[in-house]
Amino acid sequence: MGIFNIFKKQKSKEQLVDLLIQFIKNKTKKDAYTINLLPEISPSIFHSKLGGIPYWDLDKEFPKDQNGNFMTLLCQINFDKEEVTESILPQEGILQFFISTDDPYFGTSDDYNYTNNKNFRIIYHEKINEQITKEQIIQKYNLSDSQPDSSPILHEVCFSLKKETVYLSPISEDFTPLFQQAVKEIFNIDFEDEYYDLLDDKHFDNGKTYGRKLRTELKSNQSYLLGYPYFCQGDPRQSPNTPQQKPFDTVLLQLDSSTNSDYIMWGDMGIGNFLINSEDLQNCDFSNVIYYWDCD
């Protein structure tokens, strides 16, 4: 008896899809901190924000790219102001992501070594000096107060972090074996194909609706910390030039064009990722991080 005939003898198709979705949610649920934009707030150097003039310790050297040009702030997170309960993340200070905007790759590597730090930098200020002013920073480093056209951040904007539960997405390389496991455990059926071969199949009436429902409820293409990474074209951790001493098992930061396209644009609706080892993140060691973005 085929898989579709077995399904017909059981519950409604809506219920069957819900069972599959719930199985995957139970297996993969994970806490993440989504980035919620606050365009109504006027940004300062102390806000969690995308773009703009960063907070900076005037005793430090400002980050420069491989050509000696000052890098541009992509994002900064003020953990003094955010409610973050996961101990793996910093509990205080400001974490910043800088990129070069003087090359067409937004500071990523053109030799598939996505950890080389040549044209991107992650800076952590453990303590914040609230006496420092934006004007002091601009004057000392001769920075422009306008957002560069060559940045994936279109407009400076504040944000806050919100704790949410996320799940493994169907676009992940790990999704197919999990979906097959779900079919096996729920229906006792050996299913060896991709999920869309079932849910989008013509035998599964209105299948595309069910496949779309699964992709919507399990999506991971969001802007957040932690969670699951989303890639448009491939996983940079599989690059032969990526160091393999420690797994890059944690999303330090993901910025997605599709959810915030008025403010973020990686190429043609792409997505940017910073991946780190969980132990390094726990120790606030940001010296070995993958920075990668791609688009369809």
Side-chain angles (χ1 to χ4, degrees):
M1 183 179 294
I3 185 171
F4 303 105
N5 290 328
I6 292 176
F7 279 180
K8 287 176 183 178
K9 291 180 174 295
Q10 300 188 46
K11 303 178 181 182
S12 71
K13 293 182 174 67
E14 289 85 356
Q15 290 174 307
L16 295 174
V17 174
D18 287 342
L19 284 173
L20 291 168
I21 290 174
Q22 193 57 51
F23 179 94
I24 294 167
K25 283 185 173 181
N26 290 339
K27 289 285 187 180
T28 67
K29 61 183 177 181
K30 180 185 290 190
D31 288 334
Y33 286 88
T34 57
I35 289 176
N36 297 278
L37 301 185
L38 303 170
E40 69 277 10
I41 295 178
S42 179
S44 76
I45 61 170
F46 301 107
H47 278 111
S48 296
K49 63 179 182 175
L50 303 177
I53 298 296
Y55 166 82
W56 196 252
D57 183 339
L58 299 177
D59 293 330
K60 291 185 177 181
E61 182 179 356
F62 202 87
K64 297 179 180 180
D65 63 21
Q66 63 180 352
N67 296 319
N69 299 315
F70 287 138
M71 295 191 196
T72 298
L73 179 69
L74 180 74
C75 174
Q76 75 175 23
I77 304 160
N78 187 337
F79 287 99
D80 282 6
K81 307 296 184 183
E82 302 293 343
E83 295 184 8
V84 174
T85 58
E86 270 63 21
S87 60
I88 192 173
L89 291 170
Q91 301 300 300
E92 61 181 359
I94 287 182
L95 182 64
Q96 299 173 322
F97 300 79
F98 289 89
I99 62 171
S100 173
T101 52
D102 290 329
D103 70 79
Y105 303 105
F106 295 140
T108 55
S109 172
D110 57 359
D111 61 0
Y112 305 102
N113 179 0
Y114 301 111
T115 64
N116 63 23
N117 267 321
K118 290 181 180 178
N119 290 318
F120 78 94
R121 204 73 40 80
I122 298 173
I123 305 294
Y124 178 54
H125 305 270
E126 185 174 357
K127 300 297 181 182
I128 303 170
N129 181 354
E130 296 192 357
Q131 303 306 310
I132 293 175
T133 68
K134 177 179 179 180
E135 290 69 29
Q136 286 177 309
I137 297 170
I138 290 176
Q139 182 176 6
K140 179 165 183 177
Y141 302 103
N142 194 27
L143 300 180
S144 172
D145 196 14
S146 60
Q147 190 66 18
D149 294 337
S150 52
S151 171
I153 304 303
L154 306 181
H155 309 285
E156 180 183 14
V157 62
C158 295
F159 64 81
S160 63
L161 298 180
K162 179 182 179 182
K163 188 175 182 178
E164 295 188 20
T165 302
V166 298
Y167 310 96
L168 185 68
S169 168
I171 50 82
S172 169
E173 294 180 356
D174 300 323
F175 186 82
T176 293
L178 182 62
F179 183 82
Q180 294 167 348
Q181 179 189 352
V183 174
K184 177 66 176 178
E185 293 194 17
I186 296 172
F187 308 116
N188 195 29
I189 299 170
D190 291 320
F191 185 70
E192 299 180 353
D193 299 314
E194 303 280 352
Y195 78 91
Y196 46 76
D197 291 328
L198 171 59
L199 297 187
D200 287 351
D201 194 282
K202 64 182 180 181
H203 298 291
F204 206 82
D205 298 336
N206 296 318
K208 291 188 182 301
T209 299
Y210 301 127
R212 190 179 302 115
K213 179 179 181 180
L214 180 141
R215 288 187 289 271
T216 298
E217 291 205 23
L218 300 175
K219 67 180 180 179
S220 63
N221 57 324
Q222 303 177 64
S223 295
Y224 53 40
L225 287 70
L226 307 182
Y228 292 95
Y230 174 89
F231 309 111
C232 296
Q233 298 191 27
D235 191 330
R237 293 171 292 190
Q238 306 304 319
S239 168
N241 291 339
T242 297
Q244 301 296 329
Q245 292 87 345
K246 294 181 180 180
F248 294 91
D249 54 8
T250 303
V251 177
L252 180 59
L253 175 67
Q254 178 170 279
L255 294 177
D256 175 41
S257 302
S258 66
T259 56
N260 298 293
S261 59
D262 288 340
Y263 294 92
I264 306 170
M265 186 57 64
W266 300 93
D268 185 12
M269 295 297 289
I271 192 163
N273 262 290
F274 293 83
L275 307 174
I276 192 172
N277 174 263
S278 55
E279 183 178 340
D280 287 345
L281 177 54
Q282 183 85 52
N283 295 327
C284 291
D285 178 1
F286 303 103
S287 61
N288 189 33
V289 172
I290 285 177
Y291 163 46
Y292 175 80
W293 72 272
D294 60 2
C295 57
D296 291 325

